[in-house]
Amino acid sequence: MSFVRPAELLRTTSFRIALGYSVVFLASITIIGLVVHYIAVNSARTEIRAFSANEVNRLAEVHGRFGISGLVAAAADDAKAPEGVDPLRVLIIDTRGRILTGSLPPLMPRQDGPFELQRKDGELSILGVGKVLSDGTYLAAGQSDAALRRTSNAILNAFLIGGSIAVIVALGGALLTSRGVLGRIRRIDETTRAIVAGDLSARVPDRGTDDELDHLTAGINDMLDRIQALMVDLKRVTTDVAHDLRTPLARLRQKLEEAHESATTVEDYEQLTEASITEVDRLLEIFTALMRIAEIEARARREAFAPFDLSDLATDMAEAYEAVAEESAHTLTADIDKDAKVTGDKALIAQILANLIENAIRHTPDGSTISLAVRRQPGAVLVSVADDGPGIPPDEREDVTKAFHRLDHSRTTAGNGLGLALVKAVATLHEAELRLCDNEPGLRVEIAFEPAVAIET
């Protein structure tokens, strides 16, 4: 992959999306951290007060059993704590206001219930519980929140460090993701520029990861394949049109020259004029067929789609062409299932049935048999026109559906090479499958209307 400048990466949509998700992730971490900190701190404060309350109640029981002396002795024992552990702080004041023992500030308010003492610098607080005993002695016990503050700082530092690492990882991931995505988009851009420059064979390489960009790549390559095929067809059609128009135009010019140079009577002029009109009509037929194919391929006829009975249409076509086949020394048979209903353009389907029957009559020798069949199959309706003539070689069956393509042995017969092209265009419009098969002998053309257009009965 080519080198990508950092400034270009920062402007990419993928980086912005990744950065946005990173911001949301970090905001989530911050909220979680604050909630965890709040719960942990308040839980620790509650535990300190609960511990102090338990000690006050225990010392009150000692006072009730052993008096002031027992209370003072028990308070001195509670004040002892292992190194590194915050000791319990106790304050005992008798009824005359004398401090009997204690490590709490003597000027603290003497109140029943929880209290909180805070140093002036705000660096330390004592959380505790006070109680006035039955003889008027005031007893208070509390513990500093140093451990709580250490826990609070540890939580905040953990989330701060973790958040910083997450920011670095998120930004790095965003840059890597953007670099990879931008590289793949750049390859798409390079491919499109190559095509604009005239290289229609250029294709976008995929990575084989079956992700959304691979799906996009496959769609683009399919589109490019279709465009290349259309361009090849356009070049071929342009050449074929020029070739097929040159002959009737040359004949038309010849007739006009004869009329200009050698016609001397009204009868001569009439004959040459009629011959010229015939050539003009042939040119108009070619242009009309091309315009119809273009109109069908542009799907401009789908508004005419409606349900109709294909069995009735095929029966009418068989009856209409039976006499035409007999005049050409051919036999036309029909084998049609009833109630074969499809949705489509009835006029266009009638046109392709007529094209297929006329092609079979035109390109098979006298005495040949042509069969028209309609079959109702599970999920589809199958229409076929078959003959026992020379058929079409397998390697040319795809080409004969292209405009102006004609087999060598058919160039001496009437026609312009647009019949099967029209059939293919109509089948594609109806999302039906066109198949050219070996009839052994002869050719069998099948059109299968899939469930999208076939109506089950």
Side-chain angles (χ1 to χ4, degrees), residues 250-261:
R251 286 198 295 264
L252 177 60
R253 186 177 188 282
Q254 181 183 2
K255 299 299 182 183
L256 293 176
E257 284 183 350
E258 289 181 8
H260 177 69
E261 295 177 358

Side-chain angles (χ1 to χ4, degrees), residues 325 330-333 355-373 384-392 397 407 409-410 420 436-446:
H330 290 74
T331 301
L332 176 62
T333 64
N355 282 11
L356 292 174
I357 296 173
E358 289 175 2
N359 275 355
I361 295 174
R362 184 180 300 121
H363 299 294
T364 56
D366 294 348
S368 299
T369 299
I370 301 166
S371 58
L372 170 64
S384 65
V385 176
D387 62 63
D388 55 4
I392 299 176
R397 287 174 186 168
L407 301 177
H409 61 78
S410 301
L420 285 178
L436 275 63
C437 311
D438 194 344
N439 198 42
E440 298 179 354
L443 176 70
R444 183 173 71 258
V445 180
E446 297 178 346

Side-chain angles (χ1 to χ4, degrees), residues 209-328:
T209 54
D210 198 33
D211 57 10
E212 61 277 4
L213 284 180
D214 267 1
H215 294 167
L216 175 63
T217 296
I220 291 175
N221 287 338
D222 289 343
M223 177 188 67
L224 295 177
D225 290 340
R226 177 61 175 162
I227 292 175
Q228 185 178 22
L230 290 175
M231 292 302 296
V232 171
D233 287 345
L234 178 61
K235 292 179 181 179
R236 182 186 55 78
V237 168
T238 302
T239 302
D240 292 341
V241 167
H243 180 272
D244 279 57
L245 293 183
R246 182 174 59 185
T247 300
L249 286 173
R251 286 198 295 264
L252 177 60
R253 186 177 188 282
Q254 181 183 2
K255 299 299 182 183
L256 293 176
E257 284 183 350
E258 289 181 8
H260 177 69
E261 295 177 358
S262 59
T264 57
T265 65
V266 173
E267 184 178 352
D268 292 339
Y269 276 109
E270 289 180 351
Q271 291 178 352
L272 293 173
T273 300
E274 290 178 359
S276 300
I277 292 174
T278 300
E279 297 298 334
V280 172
D281 289 341
R282 184 179 178 188
L283 291 172
L284 291 175
E285 288 177 2
I286 293 175
F287 283 113
T288 300
L290 286 173
M291 291 178 65
R292 169 162 285 196
I293 291 174
E295 179 185 13
I296 294 171
E297 290 181 341
R299 294 180 175 263
R301 294 286 298 265
R302 291 188 69 88
E303 68 275 3
F305 275 30
F308 70 93
D309 194 329
L310 185 57
S311 301
D312 292 344
L313 176 62
T315 300
D316 293 342
M317 298 298 295
E319 293 175 354
Y321 276 92
E322 185 177 6
V324 177
E326 290 179 358
E327 291 177 2
S328 303

